[in-house]
């Protein structure tokens, strides 16, 4: 599978961290993400202060390659290798696993192609590893929504933002996360050694335009095995909320597939599956004017679509 490497990089220089960007057919967003990484620094007192950037393109069309190749010289002038890797097996899990395999750094940071790193993002994300040493295994940052040229819809309440992988909001100060406090794969860093004997599950996670999720369950594995996770709200990225997702019908579809993903995850790990007793008139549900819902009515339908997805997963392999 093709890989492109930077010209003019001293391969003897120690790479402290690898930034991995998994992308799928969004070259304009990938370009903006890469531009936000120019000038980012590792910081700290770790051995080696260099970092590299790996773009893992999950499209057989390789449409992310031009965005990478036209920026390689600019990054090389700053001493940052920028590499392009084509991973044709469909699914973000294959892309994440390829990124881990290709990474030269002892620390790996993930940022998504529809995100942009805010000023000082990388240094803040990696700072706990330098300051606290082996007491920290995983660091999670915060994700702020970016609505682009559109206004935030009135119906999109703060407690719904995490459905769009934004605004975890665990605290205003940095601290260790508790067991049930989660984070997103789009803004985190971890020690590569934690991946020994592990892989992102290829039956979960996004494939193309599909909405399956939960490939990040691998971090739950790590944490269950004792990996300490630190939260840094100041290590922030902005996440573009795509215009075609800013409607309630997309959110219903999103929640249906979250239900599917959660049940498949529980089955994979032998966890107790939930049971609900509910009757749904599908004809009436189909006629429901979803786009008129807000507040508690919207939340109730969100829960219903989640439960429908969860129930639908019972017959899936």
């Amino acid at each position: 599978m093709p890989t492109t490497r930077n010209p003019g990089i001293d391969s003897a220089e120690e790479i402290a961290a690898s930034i991995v960007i998994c992308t799928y057919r969004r070259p304009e967003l990938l370009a903006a993400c890469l531009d936000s990484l120019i000038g980012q620094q590792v910081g700290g007192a770790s051995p080696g202060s260099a970092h590299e950037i790996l773009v893992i393109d999950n499209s057989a069309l390789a449409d992310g390659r031009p965005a990478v190749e036209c920026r390689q010289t600019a990054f090389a002038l700053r001493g940052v290798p920028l590499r392009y890797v084509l991973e044709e097996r469909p699914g973000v899990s294959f892309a994440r696993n390829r990124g881990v395999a290709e990474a030269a750094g002892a620390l790996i940071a993930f940022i998504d192609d529809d995100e942009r790193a805010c000023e000082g993002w990388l240094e803040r994300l990696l700072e706990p590893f330098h300051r606290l040493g082996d007491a920290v295994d995983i660091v999670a940052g915060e994700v702020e929504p970016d609505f682009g040229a559109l206004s935030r819809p009135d119906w999109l309440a703060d407690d719904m933002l995490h459905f769009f992988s934004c605004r975890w909001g665990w605290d205003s100060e940095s601290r260790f996360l508790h067991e049930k406090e989660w984070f997103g794969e789009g803004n985190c860093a971890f020690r590569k050694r934690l991946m020994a004997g592990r892989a992102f599950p290829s039956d979960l996670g996004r494939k193309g335009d599909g909405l399956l999720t939960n490939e990040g369950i691998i971090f739950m594995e790590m944490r269950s095995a004792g990996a300490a996770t630190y939260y840094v709200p100041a290590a922030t990225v902005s996440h573009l909320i795509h215009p075609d997702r800013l409607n309630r019908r997309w959110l219903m579809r999103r929640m249906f597939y979250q239900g599917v993903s959660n049940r498949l995850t529980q089955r994979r790990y032998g966890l107790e599956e939930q049971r609900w007793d509910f009757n749904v008139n599908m004809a009436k549900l189909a006629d429901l004017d979803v786009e008129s819902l807000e507040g508690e009515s919207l939340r109730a339908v969100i829960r219903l679509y989640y439960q429908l997805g969860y129930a639908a997963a019972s017959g899936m392999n």
Side-chain angles (χ1 to χ4, degrees):
M1 298 178 185
T3 301
T4 62
R5 298 186 178 275
N6 271 53
I9 297 295
D10 181 5
S11 60
E13 187 174 9
E14 185 174 356
I15 299 294
S18 300
I19 302 175
V20 175
I21 310 169
C22 299
T23 188
Y24 176 76
R25 304 188 67 178
R26 299 195 287 205
E28 296 85 3
L29 294 180
L30 172 62
C33 178
L34 287 171
D35 289 344
S36 76
L37 296 176
I38 292 180
Q40 297 282 340
Q41 297 180 353
V42 170
S46 63
S49 59
H51 66 280
E52 64 172 356
I53 301 172
L54 303 175
V55 174
I56 314 297
D57 194 343
N58 203 210
S59 169
L61 299 176
D63 33 14
R65 185 189 294 270
V68 175
E69 291 183 342
C70 73
R71 288 166 172 79
Q72 284 184 316
T73 299
F75 278 97
L77 291 172
R78 293 168 171 80
V80 179
L82 170 59
R83 292 196 281 137
Y84 174 89
V85 179
L86 182 62
E87 175 51 74
E88 296 189 57
R89 290 173 295 178
V92 68
S93 290
F94 284 116
R96 293 199 191 283
N97 288 330
R98 184 68 184 277
V100 169
E102 295 274 349
L107 300 175
I108 298 175
F110 279 138
I111 184 171
D112 286 345
D113 63 353
D114 55 359
E115 295 176 335
R116 290 176 297 162
C118 297
E119 184 177 355
W121 165 73
L122 183 61
E123 185 168 3
R124 291 168 180 168
L125 190 67
L126 301 185
E127 186 272 342
F129 294 107
H130 309 319
R131 175 168 53 87
L132 300 174
D134 289 340
V136 173
D137 299 294
I138 304 168
V139 176
E142 188 55 274
V143 182
E144 288 297 321
D146 174 8
F147 297 99
L150 301 179
S151 299
R152 176 176 171 174
D154 292 339
W155 56 265
L156 183 53
D158 285 349
D159 64 335
M160 297 178 187
L161 285 172
H162 63 269
F163 299 145
F164 294 85
S165 301
C166 294
R167 197 74 64 80
W168 311 118
W170 296 121
D171 210 324
S172 58
E173 301 293 331
S174 299
R175 64 168 173 82
F176 285 98
L177 288 182
H178 302 308
E179 180 181 357
K180 294 188 178 181
E181 294 177 332
W182 68 88
F183 59 91
E185 300 82 56
N187 183 13
C188 67
F190 56 96
R191 298 188 186 277
K192 183 176 180 177
R193 68 179 184 231
L194 295 175
M195 291 295 297
R198 295 190 174 97
F200 288 90
S202 58
D203 57 329
L204 296 172
R206 301 288 172 88
K207 291 181 176 65
D209 297 321
L211 290 180
L212 281 177
T213 184
N214 284 13
E215 82 278 2
I217 194 71
I218 192 172
F219 292 117
M220 186 188 80
E221 283 185 35
M222 296 175 185
R223 296 175 72 184
S224 296
T229 303
Y230 201 77
Y231 171 66
V232 182
T236 308
V237 301
S238 64
H239 177 207
L240 179 68
I241 309 298
H242 304 265
D244 61 354
R245 298 179 180 180
L246 279 175
N247 61 80
R248 298 168 180 85
R249 289 200 175 277
W250 182 89
L251 183 55
M252 298 306 110
R253 183 167 170 260
R254 161 78 176 83
M255 294 311 299
F256 178 91
Y257 280 100
Q258 186 65 63
V260 171
S261 301
N262 282 5
R263 189 161 194 177
L264 293 178
T265 300
Q266 289 169 351
R267 186 178 305 161
R268 162 184 273 274
Y269 289 96
L271 303 175
E272 182 179 359
E273 297 182 19
Q274 297 164 279
R275 294 287 185 267
W276 287 292
D277 292 322
F278 62 94
N279 294 309
V280 179
N281 186 317
M282 298 305 291
K284 288 185 177 180
L285 183 62
D287 288 340
L288 181 66
D289 182 9
V290 171
E291 293 299 337
S292 68
L293 298 175
E294 56 185 45
E296 289 308 312
S297 296
L298 178 57
R299 291 181 179 88
V301 176
I302 285 173
R303 289 192 293 271
L304 176 59
Y305 269 82
Y306 173 86
Q307 291 168 348
L308 288 171
Y310 192 93
S314 64
M316 297 181 182
N317 295 324

